[in-house]
Amino acid sequence: YHPVHGICSLNRLDVVRFLSFTAALWAGKATNPSTLKWMARKILLSLSFGRCAAQETHKKSSPIYLLLSHHHLMKERCIQSFLKKNNARLVVMIHDIIPIEFPEYSRPGEDKRHLLRLKTVARLAHGIIVPTQSVAHAVSPFMPTNLPIKNIAHGLHIWGLEKPTTITVPSRPYFVCIGTIEPRKNHLLLLNIWRNLAKSQHTIIPNLIIIGRRGWENENVLDMLERCPTLQAHVQEYNALNDQQVVHLLRHAQALLFPSFAEGFGLPLLEALAVQTPVVCSDLAVFREIAGASAIYLDPLDGPEWTRAINSLSISKSTMSVERSAVATYVPPINPWPTQVCLGLNFLTSLHNT
């Protein structure tokens, strides 16, 4: 999307270079993320002083405009103009409708904006991709009954998991919490637990490693991270780790702690399962869909139960395995991104042939 030209096609060679560098960055072969931003700005700048790439004519079939984010979905007229000009069909990935279901966890007015996005999809889309069946159920009431909705789970960057990294693993047992620091992620629960652990003078006080950028409406969490002296020796915050560093810390952690109030998917959960790190997470339908019996599910407001699980896992990763063994009959599938992308392309092909 360009602010002057609207939605338009880009030079194919520029796009190939951009995607190739992105792949190298994900694989740990490129080390300067700012280069990616520079390439994106250069592409947009070329559009400002030139024209959009020439469009191919499609007489026998319609091309598909696949939109993988919620960005620009409020620009219905702009999208409609692009589709008409290119005789194209629109397919959108809807990650969640959390701003509508839980407006208290979003920026003010985001619920109304997200509703406008869904209305654009309902009017213009020929198909929808969602990451979980839970999201499919949530989205369905907003869509025409004949609009195809395909559930395709996110993939995992498996080929990047074994890359060596320089980050130091704490000498003491530690837990990780991965996600943007925002109210929905419920970091406050964990910080209060760790403050109580530190005050109780336990023999073993594990570390808590919080991995994620600072988001919005998180003043209480930031106050504790920055100003609570009890937490300083036990809680570490990382805002800009690469994939290899995150996976390295996750692999050696006692467990992943995931106390969110709401999620559309939960990629850290899948990553933890892939490296066989125990998971303690909120009892959400979407998490049960992803992990089955391979996680420990707790009420995100039940501090004592979370404390008990953390204390048990501080001693040994396998402490709670006996509790899960009786019901651990389902092992969730963990697929690389190429496999999941192929499922998406197959869905697009099915729409293309209708």
Side-chain angles (χ1 to χ4, degrees), residues 212-244:
R213 295 180 179 177
R214 295 187 174 188
W216 49 89
E217 298 185 4
N218 51 21
E219 290 81 4
N220 290 341
V221 174
L222 299 187
D223 284 345
M224 289 193 70
L225 286 173
E226 295 173 355
R227 296 164 51 192
C228 180
T230 311
L231 295 178
Q232 299 306 307
H234 308 292
V235 178
Q236 296 169 268
E237 178 191 1
Y238 291 102
N239 308 121
L241 297 183
N242 60 40
D243 291 346
Q244 287 73 39

Side-chain angles (χ1 to χ4, degrees), residues 25-163:
L25 195 64
W26 286 354
K29 297 176 183 177
T31 57
N32 190 1
S34 62
T35 301
L36 203 60
K37 295 180 181 179
W38 176 83
M39 293 173 72
R41 289 169 182 165
K42 183 180 178 182
I43 292 173
L44 287 176
L45 191 63
S46 68
L47 293 175
S48 299
F49 293 97
R51 295 183 176 181
C52 298
Q55 301 293 311
E56 297 180 7
T57 57
H58 300 269
K59 297 181 180 180
K60 295 184 178 180
S61 61
S62 301
I64 288 179
Y65 174 35
L66 176 61
L67 187 57
L68 296 177
S69 76
H70 300 160
H71 292 305
H72 311 306
L73 276 173
M74 289 189 296
K75 299 179 174 66
E76 182 177 342
R77 290 184 180 179
C78 185
I79 295 174
Q80 190 171 27
S81 174
F82 175 80
L83 296 175
K84 183 178 180 180
K85 180 180 178 181
N86 295 278
N87 188 31
R89 299 181 183 185
L90 175 66
V91 177
V92 179
M93 172 172 276
I94 298 180
H95 296 267
D96 59 67
I97 62 167
I98 289 173
I100 297 172
E101 294 180 306
F102 303 97
E104 65 272 26
Y105 299 136
S106 303
R107 294 183 177 92
E110 188 63 19
D111 54 338
K112 296 181 178 61
R113 288 189 287 270
H114 208 61
L115 188 59
L116 288 176
R117 297 181 186 111
L118 293 185
K119 288 181 178 179
T120 298
V121 175
R123 293 189 186 109
L124 301 181
H126 281 76
I128 297 173
I129 296 174
V130 294
T132 60
Q133 196 59 43
S134 299
V135 176
H137 288 316
V139 168
S140 293
F142 298 90
M143 299 298 152
T145 55
N146 61 341
L147 182 63
I149 300 177
K150 182 67 173 179
N151 173 21
I152 302 176
H154 293 326
L156 196 62
H157 194 51
I158 290 176
W159 55 89
L161 299 185
E162 303 298 334
K163 298 286 184 180

